[in-house]
Structure formats: C-alpha cells, structure tokens
Amino acid sequence: MPAITHGCKGCNRSPQLSEEKIEVLVAIAIQHKQPHELTPETVQQARMNACLSCPSLQYGTTCKHCGCLVHIRTRLAASYCPSPYGSQWEKEDVL
Amino acid sequence: MINMNMNIQDITGKISRHIHGQFAEHLGRCIYEGIWVGKDSPIPNIEGMRIDVIEALRKLHIPVLRWPGGCFADEYHWKDGVGPVDQRARMVNNNWGGVEENNHFGTHEFLRLCELLETEPYISGNVGSGTVHEMQQWVEYMTLDGQSPMADWRKQNGQDEPWTLTYFGVGNENWGCGGNMRPEYYADLYRHYSTYVRNYGDNQIYKIACGANSDDYHWTEVLMREAGHLMNGLSLHYYTLPSGDWTSSKGSSTHFTEEEWFTTFKNTLYMEELIIKHSKIMDKYDPEKKVGMIIDEWGIWTDVEPGTNPGFLYQQNTLRDAIVAGVNLNLFYKYADRIKMANIAQMVNVLQAMILTEGDQLILTPTYHVFNMYQVHQDSERIDLQYTSPKYTMGAQSIDKISAAASKDHLNHVHLTICNLSHNESESFSCQIEGFTPADIQGKVLTASALNTHNTFEQPEQIVPVALDVSFAKDGTLTFELPAASVAAITLI
C-alpha cells in the first residue's frame, strides 16, 4: 500500500471549467469514436443552441439533469436530452 | 475446495445495523436532482423529493443517513436553510468550486426525508467556519420540547414537535477541508464545541468526534488521550482508490485491467489494517470499548465518468464496486465490537452510489444490490466462521481470495455472505453447520461474465442478483460453488 497523504484528499475541484479545459475533455471523449457515433455538425450546433438557452444549464457547461458537459453530450449521436420537461432537442435534430 | 465450519453457538457479539449507514452530501447531483427536485418538478415527488428514489432506498432499510457533509458541513450555516423556501439565503459552496447553494433542501427537508426512509438522522455540525453558539442553537432548534427562541422558530416554520436526533458529528475532516487543524487544536475545539451539544428533554445525543484520515494514527492517539472521555464515537475515513494515488488518475470506473482489479482489492483490504491499528490505540484509552469507531466515509473513488462535469464526482458502478462493498461490510462485521457505524459515500449520483439518476430515470447499481443482499445482518448476532482462505496471487503479490461473514438474526435464521475476489477462478465450498438444521435454504449471487459489467440507463438490468445453487446434506454440510468475481448471500431458515 503506498503512503497515504494526510492532507486534502484532492476532492476540492471546481465544476467551473475554462474553455481550454473543456476542449481537452471533448478531445478525450471523442478520440476513439467512429464517425457514425458522432453527430453531424448541424445537429450538434442545433443541440448546443437548445442547451445554451435551457434554464437547466449550470455554469454555462453542464446539464443539471445528467451532470454531463453539453459540449460532449451534444456531439454523441446516441445521446438524448434528459430533461424531465421533455426533450429540448427533438425539433432541432430533424433540421 | 474451501472447508468452512460454523457453529451457531459461537456468537461473538452483535452487528450494529448502523454499519449499513449511508451518506448524502450537497455535492454534484446527490441532493439536488438525485433526491430533491422541488415540488413543481414533473418528476413525481413527495414534498419535493423524488418518489422513485425514496421507494428504492426504502427497500434497503437504511438505518442511518449522514448529512449535509462531508466538506460541505464545515461551510454550512443551518439558519440559511430553514423558513419559507423562497426567502432562504443563497450561499456559495466554496468547498465545491463556488457553486451556488439555494438552501431549498435544509433541516426540515432532511429530517422529513429521514422520516420517509424510516432512517435515523446523523447531522454533521460546523466547526470549521461555524460558532459554538450556532451549533448549540441548531441542536436546540431540532430537539428542544418547550419554549425557547429556537423551539419557537421551529414551530413558526411548521414543525411543532421536536425531532429525535441521536447522532451528531462535531465537525468533519478538520485535519483537511474542515480547518486544516492539528489534532491538539481540534481536540480542544471538540471539548469546547461538544460541551454545548446538549441533551434537551429525553433526547440523548451520541457525539461523534472527527477522527483520522486513513493511517494518521497520531490523530487518533491525541483525540483519545485528550477528549476520549467526552465522546461517544470517533470517525475514520478511508477510500479505496484503484490506483492508490490521489494526485493523478485514480483509475477508470469501467475500464480497468486484471492488474488494476487486483490492486483495487489489495487497497480495499488495507481497511483491515487501519481498523486493527486504530482500534489498538482506542483500546489503550478505552479498554471497555465505550467509544465507537464510526467509519462515516468509505467506498471506492475513481475518476469521474467521461463527459460529465469533473466537479460532480459522478462515477459508474460495476461488479468491482459490488465486491468492494461486500468485502468492506464483511470486515466491519468482523470488528463489530468496536465499529458501531459506517456510512458509504455516497447515496445517489456521487462516488460509490446506490442509485444513479438521469432526468426522470433511475438505475440501481451493483452496490445497491449488495446492500440489499447484506441487510439481513443488521442487528444480527455475529457467528465466528472458521475457514482458511486460499491466496489470490497477481505477480509477486497475494491477498486472500475469499471474504466471508456469518450471523444469526432474531428469527434464528442464519446468514452467510461471501465474496470471491478472484477475477478468473471459481471456488467450491463445503461448510459444516453445527447446532442448526435448516428447513429451507435460499441463496443469491451477484456476478457477470465481464469484470466491468454495469447497469446503464439503456440497459438497467445488466447485473442483478440471481439464484445460487446450494445443497444441504443430512450430515450438516452446506455445499455450493461461487463463480469468479462474485458476491453471494445464503440464508438458512
């Protein structure tokens, strides 16, 4: 068993994320995805527009209903909008 | 083949039901969205709390629930969280990145949740940034039957009768986020603050002092020496990290190698050394074991689920998590003469959770199923189970392959819980039962073909308990076989 640090456990991290950090997280999330697993750019942008105007968006990045970064969730083709008020994406997806 | 021997007359004490306690902190989506959605939510709720989550948790018969933190506790000012919801102060949760806390879930809501879950509340008080007066008034607000400024305020806020509150923590992790204190300083603060955590009327508070972080034995030594006579319980926090490293990657919750599987269990079994060594110090100052060891934060802590906000500490939960839970619970029963409570971190959506939610959906995790299978041990009498575990070896390192516990409940039913830690070897068991002939036997096992099997919102029942084949011979021998990587529970009726 390695020595244990007696100070902070390292849990004190912020949910506020910089644009640079988000870019890194997006790159990690999609790096092994096949093209068909990702949304076309038009759909992704429509989903993002819906998320960015949604009252359930927190910190400008995070859906409060699933804890996901919308920059990533909107890019994954299999994703859905988890809002209990009904999907905010459906009409945009068919554009 | 493992030969076990169980004489049901070999009782070694009672297993406190509070070992099956839970922890819910204002962090990520544990409280908000996981439990509290508000009265106006389209998600079916009772007084703002999700009915689906409450119904699932009620089945676990959770004995005690710790709240509001964690780190949040030493930032929390309880007066912000009572009174009309729309008039409650908004605050900044500095421990969790400065997120806004609207205080919609406060003292009344938490204690109502406990009533709905039929669980006992365990409240963590604020030492790090709160005052003695504030702590004294909170206890008075909740428990004083009669007239006083705080009792009258409680009544104005809709609660005429005082609540019953037994468990109260005087601070949390005061060696870290709760003030970065030295044990000598905290011991004096504990003596000071706990003096004013009063018993009003018939309400008797079980006072829990902040204990050590993992293997900080000096902390336990100082606290027991300086304040042991003034406390009922002393906490201990230890998390299982697959990598064993806080500073870089803790390891993925779902993508891990066989070596990481092994290392995870090696790290979780370190809990036994911690219990033994901290107990030895406690024994020195408290040989009669009046002070309970309260392991009020434990569980597996991995990297967050990719794509989720890193500050929310949301992780998936696999077969590996289930066995981590089973191993730790078996350990806690073994040392139940000293361990009086344990609270897994955390109940919903954070770390090793029972339940994950997404919008109006919910899934039960493998850890939920273990807590469900193991709840039979609550308040049972521990039976001394005799066996020698074969070794589980990876490279140059070895650990016990088997973790097991047995108990007898108030109906004289006998319960056996066993984990097979090996990632690839099944194991046969022959258990000689003495002093009991069962009329019926029921067995369940939780396992899967892949080590990282987990439930998802698309496939919520990828891993659920199934029946375990168990035989009982006239000579009193119980036989069964456990698959590799499995958790089982057997009941003899």
Side-chain angles (χ1 to χ4, degrees):
Chain A
M1 185 71 198
I4 293 171
T5 305
H6 287 152
C8 178
K9 297 194 300 276
C11 48
N12 190 1
R13 62 169 79 189
S14 173
Q16 317 268 11
L17 300 169
S18 66
E19 287 185 20
E20 293 76 15
K21 178 71 174 175
I22 291 169
E23 283 181 20
V24 170
L25 293 173
V26 170
I28 292 170
I30 67 173
Q31 62 183 337
H32 298 304
K33 299 292 181 189
Q34 299 297 313
H36 71 275
E37 295 177 290
L38 301 174
T39 47
E41 190 175 340
T42 52
V43 173
Q44 196 262 334
Q45 193 56 53
R47 287 179 174 186
M48 274 299 285
N49 290 340
C51 288
L52 293 175
S53 60
C54 179
S56 298
L57 187 71
Q58 296 178 311
Y59 326 115
T61 59
T62 306
C63 172
K64 79 172 192 177
H65 302 299
C66 62
C68 291
L69 298 170
V70 296
H71 304 74
I72 295 172
R73 193 170 178 103
T74 56
R75 294 188 69 130
L76 304 177
S79 294
Y80 58 90
C81 168
S83 173
Y85 297 92
S87 177
Q88 308 299 299
W89 285 1
E90 287 173 356
K91 53 186 180 291
E92 286 80 7
D93 273 7
V94 299
L95 287 176
Chain B
M1 169 76 77
I2 294 179
N3 292 305
M4 289 182 158
N5 192 287
M6 184 200 308
N7 183 337
I8 70 156
Q9 307 306 323
D10 287 344
I11 301 297
T12 58
K14 190 174 177 182
I15 296 171
S16 167
R17 67 181 184 279
H18 296 103
I19 283 174
H20 283 239
Q22 304 268 334
F23 172 37
E25 183 170 2
H26 287 238
L27 196 176
R29 294 186 302 119
C30 182
I31 298 294
Y32 298 107
E33 291 299 307
I35 295 168
W36 177 263
V37 288
K39 294 174 184 173
D40 297 331
S41 172
I43 296 174
N45 67 83
I46 177 167
E47 299 166 42
M49 291 174 274
R50 300 177 64 128
I51 290 174
D52 56 351
V53 170
I54 288 170
E55 286 180 345
L57 292 174
R58 279 174 62 89
K59 292 175 184 168
L60 297 183
H61 296 101
I62 294 170
V64 61
L65 177 57
R66 180 173 183 248
W67 173 88
C71 292
F72 183 75
D74 283 284
E75 197 83 31
Y76 185 63
H77 300 283
W78 69 271
K79 290 180 183 177
D80 292 342
V82 298
V85 169
D86 58 358
Q87 295 175 28
R88 292 186 190 177
R90 292 172 179 267
M91 63 174 279
V92 172
N93 182 348
N94 287 309
N95 274 303
W96 298 109
V99 306
E100 185 182 83
E101 165 67 45
N102 63 20
N103 281 306
H104 286 187
F105 190 91
T107 301
H108 289 249
E109 290 75 21
F110 170 65
L111 292 167
R112 178 64 176 138
L113 172 65
C114 289
E115 289 173 0
L116 293 169
L117 294 177
E118 297 181 13
T119 190
E120 292 183 81
Y122 166 16
I123 285 185
S124 294
N126 182 346
V127 170
S129 69
T131 64
V132 173
H133 189 216
E134 187 179 354
M135 186 176 285
Q136 179 272 320
Q137 286 188 314
W138 198 5
V139 176
E140 179 187 324
Y141 182 92
M142 290 184 282
T143 64
L144 190 141
D145 188 9
Q147 288 193 318
S148 81
M150 290 301 106
D152 291 347
W153 192 23
R154 181 190 72 230
K155 292 170 189 170
Q156 288 170 24
N157 290 332
Q159 179 71 24
D160 285 337
E161 298 297 318
W163 290 282
T164 298
L165 174 68
T166 302
Y167 300 101
F168 194 91
V170 182
N172 166 77
E173 296 194 356
N174 300 93
W175 36 260
C177 60
N180 286 311
M181 299 173 192
R182 295 174 302 115
E184 293 81 3
Y185 181 70
Y186 171 74
D188 276 349
L189 279 190
Y190 174 80
R191 293 166 65 114
H192 184 188
Y193 276 66
S194 64
T195 301
Y196 298 91
V197 177
R198 292 199 168 101
N199 295 324
Y200 294 103
D202 295 332
N203 193 75
Q204 295 291 308
I205 302 274
Y206 183 100
K207 299 175 187 177
I208 300 170
C210 166
N213 178 18
S214 305
D215 59 358
D216 185 356
Y217 301 111
H218 176 63
W219 186 279
T220 298
E221 178 81 31
V222 173
L223 261 291
M224 288 302 296
R225 185 183 69 222
E226 303 297 338
H229 62 296
L230 294 173
M231 66 179 72
N232 302 111
L234 181 65
S235 68
L236 170 65
H237 289 184
Y238 174 65
Y239 286 96
T240 297
L241 272 61
S243 70
D245 184 359
W246 285 108
T247 56
S248 56
S249 171
K250 301 175 183 68
S252 166
S253 64
T254 55
H255 294 89
F256 46 81
T257 64
E258 291 168 358
E259 287 74 19
E260 288 169 311
W261 168 277
F262 178 89
T263 304
T264 300
F265 292 111
K266 185 170 187 297
N267 292 347
T268 215
L269 286 167
Y270 184 58
M271 178 68 90
E272 182 163 21
E273 181 178 326
L274 295 173
I275 293 168
I276 291 170
K277 289 185 175 177
H278 284 292
S279 292
K280 190 175 178 184
I281 298 167
M282 295 177 78
D283 287 348
K284 186 166 97 177
Y285 296 97
D286 174 36
E288 295 178 352
K289 300 188 190 312
K290 292 179 180 173
V291 179
M293 181 183 287
I294 309 294
I295 305 177
D296 57 19
E297 289 190 27
W298 69 274
I300 184 170
W301 191 327
T302 69
D303 296 339
V304 302
E305 186 68 1
T308 65
N309 191 310
F312 281 20
L313 302 186
Y314 176 85
Q315 63 191 46
Q316 250 296 355
N317 194 303
T318 70
L319 173 60
R320 180 176 64 169
D321 299 58
I323 303 176
V324 165
V327 168
N328 276 284
L329 289 172
N330 285 343
L331 266 180
F332 299 158
Y333 307 149
K334 182 177 178 181
Y335 297 97
D337 60 335
R338 181 61 83 178
I339 301 172
K340 298 304 176 191
M341 184 194 295
N343 308 76
I344 190 170
Q346 297 188 357
M347 194 160 72
V348 188
N349 286 336
V350 172
L351 301 181
Q352 190 176 353
M354 304 293 118
I355 289 172
L356 302 177
T357 70
E358 190 168 286
D360 58 4
Q361 297 187 70
L362 164 158
I363 54 174
L364 306 178
T365 68
T367 299
Y368 175 97
H369 293 305
V370 169
F371 268 73
N372 203 7
M373 291 160 65
Y374 273 51
Q375 65 172 288
V376 290
H377 287 304
Q378 292 188 22
D379 282 341
S380 290
E381 295 177 298
R382 181 177 177 273
I383 299 172
D384 192 18
L385 186 64
Q386 303 288 329
Y387 70 100
T388 301
S389 174
K391 290 297 177 186
Y392 171 30
T393 300
M394 184 77 70
Q397 298 183 313
S398 291
I399 57 176
D400 282 352
K401 178 181 177 184
I402 300 300
S403 159
S407 72
K408 181 177 72 171
D409 68 18
H410 68 289
L411 297 172
N412 281 327
H413 297 169
V414 174
H415 304 286
L416 179 61
T417 50
I418 318 165
C419 303
N420 180 0
L421 280 58
S422 171
H423 68 278
N424 62 355
E425 286 184 357
S426 62
E427 187 61 61
S428 298
F429 291 81
S430 174
C431 183
Q432 186 67 38
I433 312 285
E434 295 177 39
F436 185 68
T437 303
D440 191 19
I441 302 173
Q442 297 166 358
K444 283 184 177 178
V445 62
L446 188 73
T447 189
S449 55
L451 298 177
N452 67 345
T453 302
H454 54 280
N455 294 327
T456 66
F457 294 97
E458 293 77 21
Q459 295 180 294
E461 296 196 342
Q462 285 285 96
I463 174 168
V464 293
V466 297
L468 174 70
D469 222 5
V470 184
S471 300
F472 188 77
K474 287 181 180 175
D475 66 353
T477 306
L478 184 74
T479 55
F480 53 95
E481 180 163 348
L482 286 192
S486 61
V487 185
I490 298 169
T491 294
L492 311 178
I493 298 170

